[in-house]
Amino acid sequence: MNSRDTIEQMMFTPEFKQNPYPVYEKLRASNPIFKQFFPNGHYGWIITKYEDAVEVLKDQRFIKDIAKVSSIEQKSVLGKNMLFSDLPDHKRLRGFVQKGFTPQIIAGKREHIQKIADELLDALAASHTMNLIDDYAFHLPIIVICEILGIPAEDREQFRSWSNSIIEASFEESSREASLQAQDEFVAYLKERFDFVRENPSDDLISQLVVADESGDQLTEGELYGVITLLIIAGHETTVNLIGNGVLALLEHPEQREQLMRQPEYIHGAIEEMLRYNGPVEFSTGRWASEDLEFKGHMMKKNDMVIVALDSANRDPEHFSEPDVFDISRGKSQHLAFGKGIHLCLGAPLARLEGEIAINTLLRRFPRLELQANISDLEWRPGMLMRGVKEIPLSI
């Protein structure tokens, strides 16, 4: 495990995607900070231990805007938003949308999200089977974020296709062409939507951002595309995987599932444990060293890419007791599923609420649900960034 060749052979393989945690365990013990060759043809540093991860996520020497350290053009439609910005741009861009995602505002959506969950499961009640992702986990968060943004219901499936292409191409050079095409189509759609909203403004978030843009409130056209695209993708991708991975963990640990069904008030702790145990975002997006620097004995050059293995940090035994045990009564957990520092996920309160409602409602409505496949046969989504299965067939 100490040689780079061995690590390269083990990482980013189908076997690794199926269960990366044994590899992470060995890396944390023997090579917790190392330089790795990524599927996109570039090298970068991977951080696997919790304390190191927290430091990187909060250290402003590691920046998100690659244009500051490289002449490489940022071609992604996602490039001009708070996720890929540093202070002071980050604070300005996040400020445009954060007032719509406060814990108080999100809490006020509980009744409506519950109604959506009930309606989705009502439609499945006469069936004996369901596909958890296609029939339920995808629809709930995409309905919610599209309603917040003012996106017509008939366009949701198209967003799924574009989002998958963009996300699955993360660090994957072979998927780059499909990703760029999806981005072009995404931008073309948004351009038409912005034109419509300018003529027919409403109280949705896109209308608010377009009006802010027209009032000269420092939101450029590129930033408008970037912020909306990020909200659409991040607004449902992580929650789909949270629901899928969370239900899968309960199916793998029937005693935990029974405890949650007996005491549904445990759902808050259960969601935190699901986020820690098999989190929906496996790796952070890239950061770059803004200067030549030393980090924990490793010399990093300016423009070196640094990636945090979030799911590895969340299994670090130096921070979590019995980290490989799934325990919904674990209590408050300082996991890194939503990041840390200034880039802490803006939509975390919404994702938590959607996960709580989706999973508790599913267990209440279909208490005898069972997995209709071997866990080892489930297919994990490609791409480096997200961790989630393509489908979970269930009998209900």
Side-chain angles (χ1 to χ4, degrees), residues 78-354:
L78 286 173
K80 295 183 179 180
N81 59 55
M82 48 276 194
L83 182 59
F84 296 106
S85 300
D86 306 297
L87 294 174
D89 289 338
H90 172 271
K91 183 177 181 180
R92 177 177 61 84
L93 292 171
R94 189 173 175 117
F96 280 106
V97 295
Q98 66 182 1
K99 57 181 175 290
F101 290 88
T102 65
Q104 294 81 6
I105 288 178
I106 298 306
K109 297 182 181 296
R110 174 177 290 276
E111 184 176 338
H112 181 59
I113 295 173
Q114 182 65 64
K115 181 173 181 289
I116 293 170
D118 288 333
E119 289 176 349
L120 289 170
L121 295 181
D122 283 345
L124 300 168
S127 304
H128 297 293
T129 62
M130 70 179 291
N131 290 321
L132 181 69
I133 305 301
D134 277 354
D135 293 339
Y136 187 52
F138 163 71
H139 290 287
L140 188 145
I142 197 69
I143 289 171
V144 174
I145 193 62
C146 283
E147 286 181 349
I148 290 173
L149 293 171
I151 298 294
E154 60 268 22
D155 297 332
R156 292 169 191 155
E157 282 291 339
Q158 185 60 69
F159 282 128
R160 183 184 198 181
S161 174
W162 291 330
S163 177
N164 285 344
S165 294
I166 293 170
I167 288 293
E168 291 173 3
S170 59
F171 303 99
E172 301 279 353
E173 189 64 31
S174 61
S175 304
R176 182 168 176 76
E177 185 175 339
S179 174
L180 291 175
Q181 180 179 345
Q183 292 173 37
D184 290 343
E185 293 173 0
F186 214 144
V187 169
Y189 174 91
L190 289 179
K191 184 179 186 303
E192 289 186 9
R193 190 67 198 165
F194 294 163
D195 290 343
F196 175 83
V197 165
R198 288 186 176 100
E199 297 297 325
N200 306 274
S202 184
D203 58 355
D204 58 75
L205 189 52
I206 285 183
S207 293
Q208 294 173 25
L209 292 174
V210 167
V211 169
D213 179 50
E214 292 197 322
S215 68
D217 199 11
Q218 300 179 313
L219 194 67
T220 69
E221 182 178 0
E223 290 168 347
L224 189 59
Y225 286 120
V227 167
I228 296 298
T229 305
L230 176 64
L231 290 174
I232 293 171
I233 294 177
H236 81 277
E237 284 280 357
T238 53
T239 308
V240 172
N241 293 338
L242 165 58
I243 297 169
N245 295 357
V247 170
L248 198 57
L250 292 174
L251 292 169
E252 290 182 281
H253 301 85
E255 76 290 348
Q256 298 292 301
R257 172 185 169 185
E258 291 299 322
Q259 181 179 1
L260 183 57
M261 291 176 66
R262 289 194 309 269
Q263 298 174 285
E265 67 273 14
Y266 270 60
I267 189 61
H268 305 291
I271 291 296
E272 299 309 305
E273 181 67 345
M274 292 167 186
L275 288 163
R276 183 202 68 82
Y277 180 76
N278 199 9
V281 182
E282 187 159 1
F283 292 91
S284 71
T285 49
R287 285 165 169 75
W288 288 268
S290 60
E291 59 190 56
D292 292 348
L293 57 88
E294 183 269 338
F295 183 79
K296 300 299 181 70
H298 297 271
M299 298 307 300
M300 299 181 179
K301 297 289 188 181
K302 181 179 180 179
N303 197 25
D304 275 2
M305 182 170 63
V306 180
I307 303 292
V308 173
L310 299 169
D311 281 353
S312 174
N314 286 336
R315 294 276 191 110
D316 188 342
E318 294 182 10
H319 191 81
F320 300 97
S321 174
E322 297 185 290
D324 294 324
V325 174
F326 178 69
D327 180 7
I328 66 171
S329 62
R330 182 179 292 271
K332 190 172 183 179
S333 172
Q334 295 296 322
H335 61 73
L336 301 179
F338 291 124
K340 202 78 171 178
I342 65 170
H343 291 283
L344 182 71
C345 178
L346 179 73
L350 179 59
R352 284 184 166 105
L353 180 61
E354 290 172 336

